[in-house]
Amino acid sequence: MPAYVVHGFRWPRSAIRIHIILNNIDDAAAEYIVSPGTSVSLLQSLRDLYPNLMKALPNLRFVEQYDPADVSASALSQPFAFVADKVETCRLSVDIGEVMGQGVATDGWGALVELRDQLAPGEKVGWWVVCNGDEQRPKPPGGSEHSDEKGNEEFPAKKSRGKLKKLLSKG
């Protein structure tokens, strides 16, 4: 099971869902944002929304935590994913002090804090160890990247997005 030492912040799953809906990112699955199509779509969305910040974050990645041995219903949708500007894979061991000692660029740090303020206000920017036992999760049988194991589409029809946008704008 690979583990990662990451510098970044946690992005709550509920905020990921809202971001995907409000920005009409049809190619994104909120429940597992490291899948290739979702990752590319989300990164493009962030480049479109925050071009100056993203210039300072050229290596931005998403990292998920996942334990394939956990078969509970809650294991399929973790409460958050990580948005990271530095990711170090740890196969057997890694010198945490050395990784952290490499630090991050000052402009990158500032950009990451600003991005965090946009996506996940109040979350801590820092160093995390994240385990993911199955980064290449297969698509559900008979489903798409956006459907669950029963083939139910993750996203409601586009007209439901409009209802959600209206609801959110009233608040």
Side-chain angles (χ1 to χ4, degrees), residues 7-8 85-86 99-110 112 125 127:
H7 180 261
D85 61 346
K86 185 166 183 79
V99 172
M100 292 173 64
Q102 295 169 6
V104 293
T106 304
D107 59 339
W109 176 272
L112 188 67
V125 172
W127 291 95

Side-chain angles (χ1 to χ4, degrees), residues 56-125:
L57 299 168
N59 299 317
L60 195 74
R61 281 185 51 190
F62 304 113
V63 178
E64 292 273 5
Q65 64 183 21
Y66 180 67
D67 178 2
D70 184 353
V71 294
S72 67
S74 64
L76 295 176
S77 179
Q78 295 293 312
F80 47 81
F82 291 84
V83 178
D85 61 346
K86 185 166 183 79
V87 178
E88 180 79 25
T89 303
C90 177
R91 298 265 182 245
L92 295 176
S93 65
V94 66
D95 182 340
I96 298 276
E98 184 179 313
V99 172
M100 292 173 64
Q102 295 169 6
V104 293
T106 304
D107 59 339
W109 176 272
L112 188 67
V113 169
E114 287 186 48
L115 185 62
R116 180 274 322 262
D117 291 346
Q118 295 297 320
L119 301 179
E123 287 293 333
K124 173 187 158 194
V125 172

Side-chain angles (χ1 to χ4, degrees), residues 124-137:
K124 173 187 158 194
V125 172
W127 291 95
W128 304 85
V129 176
V130 183
C131 296
N132 186 325
D134 188 8
E135 216 172 60
Q136 302 298 322
R137 262 198 241 181

Side-chain angles (χ1 to χ4, degrees), residues 26 28-32 38 76 137-155:
D26 293 329
E31 301 309 316
Y32 207 63
T38 295
L76 295 176
R137 262 198 241 181
K139 293 178 187 174
S144 70
E145 180 175 285
H146 310 290
S147 60
D148 64 17
E149 63 277 355
K150 295 177 185 169
N152 299 319
E153 290 298 313
E154 176 182 342
F155 301 117

Side-chain angles (χ1 to χ4, degrees), residues 21-22 24 156-171:
I21 291 168
L22 291 180
N24 292 320
K158 286 187 181 184
K159 62 184 174 184
S160 296
R161 288 185 181 170
K163 291 177 186 177
L164 179 61
K165 283 183 183 181
K166 286 179 187 175
L167 179 66
L168 291 173
S169 66
K170 289 179 183 178

